[in-house]
Amino acid sequence: MIEKSVDVVLPCLNEAEALPWVLERIPPGWRALVVDNGSTDGSAEIARSLGATVVAESRRGFGAACHAGLLAAEADVVCFCDCDASLDPGLLTEFVQLLSEGDDLVLGRRRPQSRGVWPAHARAGNWALSKMVRRRTGLRLHDLGPLRAARREALLKLDLTDRRSGYPLQMVVRAADAGWRVREIDVPYLPRSGKSKVTGTWKGTFQAVLDMRKVLREGAAR
């Protein structure tokens, strides 16, 4: 049975072009929470016009936007999805079904659908981090992608503190430490709209890896 009470958090920074595609794929009856992280292209206005709830988060950072969405959520189940049209939020129905069957955190393993979708530097950074996560937690994950689902109250109890690129990793590490049942399933990874704010360059990827390595060190000290 699919949960009817679901909020989908969509961190957003200048995604005006992608928003219509993303929002039309939100499953019927679910609420889209578009977290505007300082857009200058009218993203917030477009999201409102398409029926989404818009949450403003002035503090820049992927984690800041995701956590603002989590705090604004009211549904029992909260999903996260990038707002750049690289991932289809309609796929989250399977994630939520798995939660109802006993999983605690469901993650999407991105599978590129065409050449060039996932740049080499981004794949390399993700591979390295996945290996570090395996050593730290024992979880045999292959990806730390943004498509995911969990229950809101349980997420809040993780007391997530990272507000940069390390937020998704911190969620996984603290979930593992708490004994959560974590599952990874394959999802299609599509060409994104616009350039990535995090992994679009070697510099961005390097900074993301630094953020995440910091999270792993903090986790080991807990």
Side-chain angles (χ1 to χ4, degrees):
M1 178 179 178
I2 293 291
E3 297 274 352
K4 293 184 178 180
S5 178
V6 179
D7 284 337
V8 183
V9 175
L10 300 159
C12 176
L13 176 58
N14 293 331
E15 300 291 2
E17 181 180 344
L19 272 167
W21 187 93
V22 173
L23 292 176
E24 72 179 6
R25 284 164 175 75
I26 300 294
W30 294 13
R31 183 171 67 145
L33 288 171
V34 174
V35 184
D36 184 53
N37 204 204
S39 298
T40 57
D41 66 349
S43 288
E45 292 75 14
I46 291 172
R48 288 191 188 93
S49 73
L50 294 172
T53 298
V54 176
V55 178
E57 174 52 60
S58 59
R59 180 177 176 179
R60 284 291 182 89
F62 182 76
C66 286
H67 202 68
L70 175 60
L71 294 177
E74 299 174 352
D76 179 47
V77 170
V78 177
C79 300
F80 297 84
C81 181
D82 271 357
C83 204
D84 59 9
S86 63
L87 293 163
D88 185 346
L91 299 171
L92 289 165
T93 55
E94 182 179 359
F95 288 46
V96 175
Q97 178 65 40
L98 290 170
L99 292 182
S100 70
E101 294 173 2
D103 289 318
D104 299 304
L105 176 63
V106 183
L107 308 170
R109 180 185 183 182
R110 291 168 289 184
R111 293 294 200 176
Q113 299 301 291
S114 60
R115 293 176 62 88
V117 169
W118 205 352
H121 55 273
R123 292 198 309 274
N126 192 71
W127 178 83
L129 288 166
S130 295
K131 299 286 281 188
M132 287 187 277
V133 169
R134 188 174 300 180
R135 288 195 297 268
R136 166 65 179 80
T137 67
L139 295 174
R140 298 185 65 82
L141 301 177
H142 303 84
D143 192 8
L144 297 171
L147 199 68
R148 52 187 60 198
R151 297 195 178 274
R152 179 173 60 88
E153 289 298 329
L155 282 172
L156 290 171
K157 289 178 181 177
L158 293 181
D159 191 26
L160 301 175
T161 56
D162 191 275
R163 297 296 181 263
R164 292 170 59 92
S165 303
Y167 188 87
L169 173 60
Q170 188 179 58
M171 184 185 297
V172 171
V173 170
R174 294 195 177 180
D177 288 348
W180 286 23
R181 182 177 174 182
V182 181
R183 183 189 294 264
E184 183 180 66
I185 61 175
D186 289 353
V187 296
Y189 192 41
L190 309 171
R192 62 156 289 138
S193 173
K195 188 175 183 179
S196 172
K197 287 80 175 175
V198 177
T199 57
T201 64
W202 279 100
K203 180 179 179 181
T205 299
F206 180 69
Q207 183 59 58
V209 171
L210 289 180
D211 289 345
M212 294 184 188
R213 290 186 67 177
K214 180 179 178 182
V215 168
L216 287 170
R217 289 195 299 270
E218 290 175 350
R222 280 170 62 87

